[in-house]
Every structure is written in C-alpha cells, then in structure tokens.
Amino acid sequence: DTEVTQTPKHLVMGMTNKKSLKCEQHMGHRAMYWYKQKAKKPPELMFVYSYEKLSINESVPSRFSPECPNSSLLNLHLHALQPEDSALYLCASSQTAKQGKKLFFGSGTQLSVL
Amino acid sequence: DQQVKQNSPSLSVQEGRISILNCDYTNSMFDYFLWYKKYPAEGPTFLISISSIKDKNEDGRFTVFLNKSAKHLSLHIVPSQPGDSAVYFCAASAGWAGGTSYGKLTFGQGTILTVHP
C-alpha cells in the first residue's frame, strides 16, 4: 500500500461553516504534511508533523487548525475561512521528516469557500 | 521572491524524442532537488531526486542533471512517451548535510509537458 488517501475530494463551504479535511496513510510513515496549491501556482507548505508532533507551521492563519491523532491520520480543521482560501489542499507523508525521504502525495481536496 | 523557477510554462515534444525540462534556483542553501509529475485531479508523484554532491542521477528513461555553479538543474526524458504528458514540478530543499530540513520542499511553477504520438 503506497497510497495517501484524502477525503473528501471536493468540498464547498460557507464562510461561517466548520469542516474538516482528512488524510490517511498506512505505509508506516512518521512524517505528514499539509500543502496548499492555488490554481496555476506551485504547492506551498502549510504544516509538518513529525512523530505526531507539530514541527513546522508556516505562519498559517489560525482559521486552519491541524491535528495528528495518530501516526496514520492527519486532519485539517477549517473554521471561518475566506474566499481566498479556496484551493487544492494536498496531504503528503514520508518515512521521516529528514531530507532525502521522498514525499508521497494524496490526490487532494479541492476546496471552494463561498 | 520565487526561489525555484521553471521559466517554460509548457513544452511540446514528439513521441520518441527527448524532453528537456529546466529549473533554476536562487537559494544557495538548497542542496537536495526533486522532480515530481502531476496528472489532473491527482497529487504530485515523485520521479527522481539528486543531492548536491552529485551532478547526475539516472533512473530508467529519466535523468536529472545538476549544475551547482549555475544553480540550474534539468530533467531529461528519453524516449518521451504520450503517457509522460503531465505537469512537471521541480522542488528543492535545504539542510541535507545536517539532516534537519523537516521535509520542507519549495516548488517551481511547473511545466506542462505534452508528448504527441
């Protein structure tokens, strides 16, 4: 199993809604990531979890709240988002967070904020 | 400030010929480089990587060349196949020597490769 599974694939939400994005991997990886990709732009790192602890927060607004309940799962809780937050949200995992460990990406959640 | 640049938004190649995708970087701290391929509605898929202690890495039809003095890398695909048509992202990270980069990748804008039969 070399897959990173993300749900849902598409999400439409209003600015007052609360929703969550989910990510799961069963490769035994101990590092998991959230990236954000706007249309025609490269993916940009949001958060890194290493051994279930938050290692990097790239100055992401608090309306995005990550959670790593265990080594296989990664969530991204969304609250009071803005229309400019509409993007493709990509989850990734790697063996560890050290360099040289290639990242495996999920297919992403396409988020639209109305 | 775009630290990783792919200046060609698109490239069109005939099947069987060589595809050459280019990438330039400005951050001299980058010492590990990767290429990812992305199909529509899918996440990026790892293709090949190279560390700064090498100038070439080969894997089947894919070869990555690194020119540190020019801060330039390229991906060669030989022979190109229609199934190679996708968006190709160059990515870079820093801290290979210290091993503490925490997996932060900086991506280029991507190049759309189209391989015609």
Side-chain angles (χ1 to χ4, degrees):
Chain A
D1 183 3
T2 57
E3 278 195 1
V4 175
T5 304
Q6 289 187 244
T7 56
K9 290 197 183 303
H10 301 275
L11 179 62
V12 179
M13 60 186 291
M15 289 189 285
T16 58
N17 291 159
K18 283 185 183 181
K19 296 285 185 184
S20 295
L21 308 185
K22 296 186 184 305
C23 176
E24 191 168 0
Q25 56 86 16
H26 296 287
M27 294 178 276
H29 289 174
R30 304 311 300 271
M32 296 187 78
Y33 312 78
W34 281 114
Y35 277 79
K36 172 181 176 180
Q37 185 177 19
K38 302 276 278 184
K40 298 190 190 301
K41 297 285 187 183
E44 292 181 348
L45 181 67
M46 298 175 73
F47 302 104
V48 179
Y49 272 84
S50 179
Y51 292 88
E52 294 93 71
K53 288 189 181 355
L54 184 64
S55 297
I56 293 182
N57 175 342
E58 288 286 301
S59 303
V60 179
S62 60
R63 56 186 185 269
F64 294 92
S65 175
E67 179 197 19
C68 190
N70 61 55
S71 60
S72 299
L73 294 174
L74 184 67
N75 299 321
L76 186 62
H77 303 296
L78 314 172
H79 174 54
L81 294 194
Q82 305 296 310
E84 60 264 28
D85 296 322
S86 299
L88 179 68
Y89 289 84
L90 292 162
C91 173
S93 71
S94 62
Q95 214 170 354
T96 69
K98 290 205 170 178
Q99 189 180 62
K101 302 299 181 186
K102 66 184 183 186
L103 271 62
F104 290 80
F105 283 87
S107 297
T109 294
Q110 187 65 56
L111 174 68
S112 297
V113 182
L114 303 178
Chain B
D1 175 29
Q2 204 175 329
Q3 299 184 64
V4 178
K5 298 178 187 178
Q6 294 176 254
N7 292 318
S8 298
S10 62
L11 175 67
S12 184
V13 171
Q14 206 67 32
E15 181 179 6
R17 307 295 283 266
I18 184 171
S19 295
I20 300 176
L21 297 106
N22 294 303
C23 178
D24 296 296
Y25 61 96
T26 56
N27 188 340
S28 57
M29 298 300 291
F30 287 148
D31 54 9
Y32 190 74
F33 306 90
L34 308 91
W35 284 93
Y36 279 82
K37 178 169 76 172
K38 186 178 187 298
Y39 292 118
E42 293 185 14
T45 303
F46 171 79
L47 267 180
I48 193 168
S49 63
I50 188 168
S51 70
S52 58
I53 62 172
K54 293 185 173 182
D55 53 21
K56 177 183 173 181
N57 189 24
E58 194 172 351
D59 184 2
R61 295 186 298 116
F62 303 92
T63 303
V64 57
F65 295 92
L66 175 63
N67 182 334
K68 287 191 293 293
S69 60
K71 293 192 176 68
H72 177 83
L73 66 155
S74 61
L75 174 68
H76 291 210
I77 306 174
V78 182
S80 302
Q81 300 173 354
D84 296 328
S85 298
V87 180
Y88 287 77
F89 288 100
C90 168
S93 69
W96 180 82
T100 56
S101 68
Y102 290 102
K104 176 174 178 176
L105 296 181
T106 301
F107 285 85
Q109 300 280 74
T111 297
I112 302 170
L113 174 65
T114 304
V115 180
H116 299 284

